[in-house]
Amino acid sequence: MENLAIIELNDSELKLSIYKTKSGRAALIEQKSQPFKLGDEITKEELLLPKTKSDIVGVLKIYRKVIETYKCTQIIAYASKILQTARNYRGFIDEIYNNTGISFIILSNEEVIKSVYNATIGSIDNSKGYIINIEPYMTNFIKYNRRTIIASYTLPYGSANLLQDKTGKSRTIDEMTKIISEEIAKAEITLESEVEIDFVGTGKAFIAFGKIAKKIARYPLDLDNNYQVSKEVMKQTVDFIKGIDLEKISKIKGIDESDAPRIASGLAIINAFYDKLNINQITISSAGVREGIVHTNVALPAQEKFNDLLSNSIDNYYEFYKDEHSINNNVYQMALILFKQLKVMHKLPRFYVKPLRIAASLYDAGKKINFNNYTKLGFDTILYSGLTGVTHRELLIAAFVCLCQNLDDFSLADWMKYKDIVTDEDLDAVRKLGVIVKLAYALNASKKNIISDVVCDILGDSIIMKTIVDGDPTFEIMEGMKVATDYKKVFKKSLQII
C-alpha cells in the first residue's frame, strides 16, 4: 500500500490531496486547501506579485511536511493554464522547485479535457453522451461514445472571465447567457439525432448549481454526484439567483464564499447550453481534473475500471476497509442465491438486484463506527459512500435494506422523508431484502464459506431451505434459524433450514 500526493494550484486556491493506493485502487484520506486570488491578480497585473509568490511557497513548504508525514511515494503537482499568462511564471516554478523540491506542470487544455473525461466516465454510468465542463476561464464541450472522446469544443469563457466586460462592468445573467449562446453557435456544436441524449455537467459551477437546485426542488438527499436537474428546475434556479444579491448567495449552505461571486456566471453558461441545445436534463458529476489524474496514475486497466462502475466502486471501498475476517463478497453471493430462490415469494423485479448487491456487500459497513448499532450506522455509511454506477434511488434503497437487517430500526417517518424518490413497491422491497441480507450473513456465520448453495421448497405455510455444504453447517443453520421470526413477519411463512 502506497500514498499518492496531488497538489493543485488553480486560479483561486492551492490544494493538497492525499490518496491511499493499493492494487490499482485509490481512496482520499486527507485534503487541505488555502485560498489565493491568483486569477484576479494575474488578469490585473499580468504578474505574480512578490507577496503572493512568497505566501504560496510558504504553504507548499507546509504541504511538503504533510506529504512526508504520510510517507507519500509519489507527488503530482499541476497548475491551471492561467498561470502561464503571468510574465514571470517560469521563474516562479523554478523558485518553487528550488525551495520545496516540488516540480509543477501546467496542464494544457487537451490534458484538462482528457482528465475531465476520465473522471466523468468513472463517476457516471453513461457510455455515450456529452460532457459540459465549466472551468474559470474556459468551457469545454466533449462528445464521447463507448469510452472514447469523439470530439471536443472549447468556448473562451468560463465562470471567472465572463463576469465582467473589458471595462470592468459586471454583466447580468441575461447578458452572459447571450454571449455564451453566441459562442455555442460559433462553435457549430451539433447533436446526434437520438431521442434520448445524455448530458453530464462537471466543474465547480455545476456542483454549486446542483446545491442550489436541490434546495429549490426540496430534494431530500445531500448528494452532489449523479444528481439530475431538469430544465424546469434549472429555470427556477436562474430566477432565484436573479432575485437575490451576492451577500445572500454566499450564505447559501454548501456554497463556498470564494465561489459565490461566480454563481451567476456559471448559471448563465448552464442556462445557455440548456436553451441553445434544447436540453431537458443534465446529470451532475462531482468528479473533476484531480479525479481524472488519479484515474490515470493509479494503474488499474481502463476496461476493468469502467465495464462495471458499481463493481469497481464496491471493490474500491472494500479494498480499504476489509480485514482478514471479511466475508462481504460471500454474503453478497449468498444474498443473490436467496433472491433467486425466493423469487416466487418476494415477487420483486430485477431492478432490486443492484440495491441488494450494495447492501449485502456493505452489510457490516456501520461496524467500523460502532458494532452495537451497525445497521443504523450502515444507513448513512452506504448513502454517503460515494459509490458510482448507481442512481440516488438505488443507493437510498440499499441504505434502507442495510437498516432493515434489524426491522426494529426501520421508521416509517424516516421513510416518508424520501417519498419523492422512493415508491410504495420500494417500501415492500427494503423489508424483504433486509431479511434476505440478514439471512445471507447468518448462513456465513463461521466465515468459512461452508454453505455453497441453497434450494428452497414451499410447502403450504412453510418453506424448507435445503443447504448444499462443504463441511459441518451446524453453526450456520443455528444462526440462520434466528432469522425465522423476521422471515415470517415479512414473508408470512415459517422458515425451516436443513
Side-chain angles (χ1 to χ4, degrees), residues 46-73:
E46 295 184 356
L47 285 170
L48 287 160
L49 300 179
K51 184 179 187 312
T52 301
K53 293 194 294 179
S54 175
D55 289 347
I56 289 174
V57 169
V59 172
L60 285 171
K61 286 180 178 178
I62 295 170
Y63 284 178
R64 184 80 204 209
K65 291 179 180 178
V66 175
I67 291 168
E68 290 170 358
T69 298
Y70 280 93
K71 298 179 181 178
C72 296
T73 56

Side-chain angles (χ1 to χ4, degrees), residues 205-240:
F206 267 106
I207 294 173
F209 163 55
K211 288 182 183 298
I212 299 170
K214 279 181 285 189
K215 294 182 186 302
I216 289 170
R218 299 182 183 277
Y219 193 70
L221 291 178
D222 186 20
L223 299 174
D224 295 327
N225 193 62
N226 219 359
Y227 177 56
Q228 298 174 333
V229 190
S230 67
K231 190 168 190 174
E232 180 186 3
V233 173
M234 186 279 297
K235 291 297 183 185
Q236 291 173 356
T237 306
V238 171
D239 290 341
F240 171 75

Side-chain angles (χ1 to χ4, degrees), residues 87-112:
R87 297 197 304 272
N88 58 345
Y89 85 92
R90 291 184 186 278
F92 179 52
I93 288 177
D94 290 341
E95 183 180 344
I96 289 174
Y97 181 76
N98 292 334
N99 282 275
T100 66
I102 298 170
S103 180
F104 270 84
I105 59 170
I106 296 178
L107 292 183
S108 66
N109 191 38
E110 291 73 20
E111 289 170 320
V112 169

Side-chain angles (χ1 to χ4, degrees), residues 339 342-349 351-352 355-356 393 396-398 400-402 404-405 407 410-412 415-416 422-437 486-492:
F339 182 85
L342 298 172
K343 186 170 179 61
V344 69
M345 296 186 66
H346 62 64
K347 298 182 176 64
L348 297 174
F351 165 81
Y352 292 101
L356 175 65
R393 179 186 167 205
L396 183 59
I397 291 170
F400 271 110
V401 171
C402 181
C404 284
Q405 290 178 86
L407 292 174
F410 180 82
S411 163
L412 190 58
W415 176 266
M416 292 305 294
V422 291
T423 67
D424 290 342
E425 184 182 31
D426 297 337
L427 177 59
D428 178 54
V430 295
R431 292 178 170 130
K432 290 176 177 177
L433 296 178
V435 172
I436 286 176
V437 172
D486 285 349
Y487 188 92
K488 187 167 186 177
K489 189 183 295 184
V490 171
F491 289 98
K492 312 304 180 187

Side-chain angles (χ1 to χ4, degrees), residues 355-370:
L356 175 65
R357 178 174 192 177
I358 297 168
S361 298
L362 275 67
Y363 78 96
D364 61 345
K367 289 182 180 179
K368 304 296 184 293
I369 304 169
N370 186 308

